[in-house]
Every structure is written in structure tokens, then in C-alpha cells.
């Protein structure tokens, strides 16, 4: 049922013309991963590689994200679902405009309602502003659990920010370790990773 509803929603997104981002897209990027996952990651929007392939986080920042997830013992097939604030690539990889975020947000809300994750990880400022508060600052709130509706939310840096600024990697790793421990507490006490003390 959940899978079917997500497929129906992805068809709506494929045909969406709610903002101008549809004019230049190659593909919409709806989301990927396990529809029954307890962790939902939310990024900003597709880049060039994602626009070509129609899959989130397949470029350089996606490779880093997979590495971080792997270090936590998580993978895309089993533990997480990955979505974005906007489903079409902003030209030149600029930040999505507030009106583009607003136009796309109902799709993300529906994805969240269908997937019903226990934990939401916000990757970067656009995800934080788009889902929680347009005035929130990622540098202020990262690494602190927040609540949004019935979901626990961990804001952290976007992987592309980590690629630009390696000094932020240490903080991001602390944030992901908090998710790891919360996952053990709420979902699976036997979950483990050789990279983290249990
Ligand atoms: N950056 C994002 O925010 N999302 C993607 O899907 C790829 C890169």
C-alpha cells in the first residue's frame, strides 16, 4: 500500500509544473530507498548527476553520504529513504528559491506521512529552512534533536558543505553518531557498526 501510494505520488511529481524548475529539468528526482525505513534523509534538491539519473545523491556528495551512512552501519536498501526539498534541479545548482521550496513542499509532506520514519535527518540549511523554519540557522541548531510533528529531527551539515569545508566533518560525524545511538534505542538495540562504540 505504502509502495503503491509512493509510486502514484512519484507520477504526480513527474508531471508537476507547479514552479519554473520544471522547465529545465531532465528528470524529476522523487526519492529512493526503503519505503518502510525508520530514517528519512532530506537533502536540498537534485544536482547535475541526479537530474540525469533521476536518483537522489548519486554524485560526489552522494558518495560521501553513502560513506557516512556505511560507517553507521546503514545502507539505502534497508535503513534509510532519501528525499529532497525540491524534486527538480535548480539551474546551475543554485539554492532553491523560497517559492520553489513552497511549491514542492506538499510532496515531501506526503512522502513523510507515507514513510512514517522515526528519525528525520535534515541535510543542510535548505532542508532545515524548508521543513522547519525559514529563519533557522544550520550552524546554530545542528547536532541538537528537534521535534517536528511526531518526528524526531536531527539537523546536520549537507555533504557538499563537508566537501567544501573538511573542518565541518568532525561535527557532522558527531551528529550521525547521535542518530546511530537513537536508532539503537528506538528501533534495533542489536544494530552495530565497527566504527562506533556500542
Ligand atoms: N544534493 C542534494 O541536496 N540532493 C541530491 O539529491 C543531490 C545533491
Amino acid at each position: 500500500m505504502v509502495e503503491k501510494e509512493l509510486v502514484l505520488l512519484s507520477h504526480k511529481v513527474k508531471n508537476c509544473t507547479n514552479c519554473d524548475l520544471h522547465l529545465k529539468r531532465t528528470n524529476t528526482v522523487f526519492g529512493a530507498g526503503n519505503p518502510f525505513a525508520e530514517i528519512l534523509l532530506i537533502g536540498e534538491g537534485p544536482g547535475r548527476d541526479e537530474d540525469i539519473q533521476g536518483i537522489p545523491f548519486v554524485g560526489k556528495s552522494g558518495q560521501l553520504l553513502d560513506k557516512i551512512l556505511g560507517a553507521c552501519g546503514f545502507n539505502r536498501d534497508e535503513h534509510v529513504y532519501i528525499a529532497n526539498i525540491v524534486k527538480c534541479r535548480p539551474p546551475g545548482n543554485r539554492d532553491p528559491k523560497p517559492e520553489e521550496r513552497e511549491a514542492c513542499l506538499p510532496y515531501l509532506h506526503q512522502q513523510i506521512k507515507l514513510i512514517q520514519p522515526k528519525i528525520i535527518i535534515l541535510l543542510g540549511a535548505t532542508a532545515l529552512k524548508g521543513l522547519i523554519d525559514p529563519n533557522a540557522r544550520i550552524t546554530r541548531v545542528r547536532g541538537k534533536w528537534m521535534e517536528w510533528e511526531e518526528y524526531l529531527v536531527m539537523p546536520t551539515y549537507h555533504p557538499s558543505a563537508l566537501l567544501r569545508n573538511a573542518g565541518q566533518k568532525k561535527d557532522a560525524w558527531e551528529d550521525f553518531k547521535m542518530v546511530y545511538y537513537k536508532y539503537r534505542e528506538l528501533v534495533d538495540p542489536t544494530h552495530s557498526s565497527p566504527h562506533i562504540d556500542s
Side-chain angles (χ1 to χ4, degrees):
M1 197 64 188
V2 168
E3 284 155 308
K4 206 172 146 194
E5 296 282 331
L6 281 171
V7 170
L8 286 175
L9 188 59
S10 75
H11 289 159
K12 279 192 195 157
V13 167
K14 226 180 206 98
N15 295 312
C16 180
T17 56
N18 288 352
C19 80
D20 282 351
L21 292 183
H22 80 277
L23 295 170
K24 293 199 172 154
R25 73 182 172 218
T26 311
N27 286 294
T28 55
V29 178
F30 179 71
N34 178 1
F36 303 100
E38 303 291 2
I39 300 174
L40 171 66
L41 291 137
I42 302 176
E44 176 175 309
R48 187 173 169 274
D49 297 304
E50 291 77 18
D51 176 64
I52 291 168
Q53 296 187 43
I55 303 168
F57 284 100
V58 287
K60 282 221 166 65
S61 60
Q63 285 163 19
L64 176 58
L65 180 62
D66 284 340
K67 217 166 140 188
I68 299 170
L69 290 173
C72 294
F74 299 137
N75 63 65
R76 291 188 187 214
D77 292 337
E78 194 181 342
H79 305 91
V80 307
Y81 190 93
I82 306 178
N84 279 308
I85 293 286
V86 294
K87 313 304 194 207
C88 299
R89 182 192 184 201
N93 293 351
R94 63 163 171 75
D95 290 349
K97 296 175 186 164
E99 63 268 28
E100 294 162 348
R101 295 198 311 244
E102 285 302 312
C104 217
L105 205 55
Y107 297 127
L108 181 64
H109 285 160
Q110 288 173 71
Q111 284 176 301
I112 296 171
K113 281 222 171 74
L114 288 167
I115 294 163
Q116 296 271 311
K118 290 230 159 50
I119 298 166
I120 295 177
I121 303 175
L122 299 176
L123 298 170
T126 297
L128 175 70
K129 288 172 191 288
L131 189 72
I132 309 281
D133 175 1
N135 297 315
R137 305 285 292 270
I138 192 72
T139 45
R140 290 220 184 112
V141 302
R142 65 137 280 275
K144 297 185 182 125
W145 288 110
M146 322 172 89
E147 279 177 33
W148 178 79
E149 304 216 336
E150 69 259 45
Y151 307 101
L152 262 182
V153 177
M154 173 55 69
T156 188
Y157 294 125
H158 191 286
S160 65
L162 303 181
L163 290 171
R164 285 194 305 270
N165 184 356
Q168 291 181 333
K169 280 187 180 172
K170 197 170 162 287
D171 283 343
W173 179 234
E174 293 305 315
D175 304 345
F176 272 91
K177 279 198 288 186
M178 287 173 76
V179 171
Y180 168 89
Y181 289 120
K182 191 58 82 178
Y183 185 87
R184 282 175 54 97
E185 182 190 326
L186 298 181
V187 181
D188 178 6
T190 70
H191 181 77
S192 68
S193 160
H195 301 279
I196 306 176
D197 298 331
S198 292

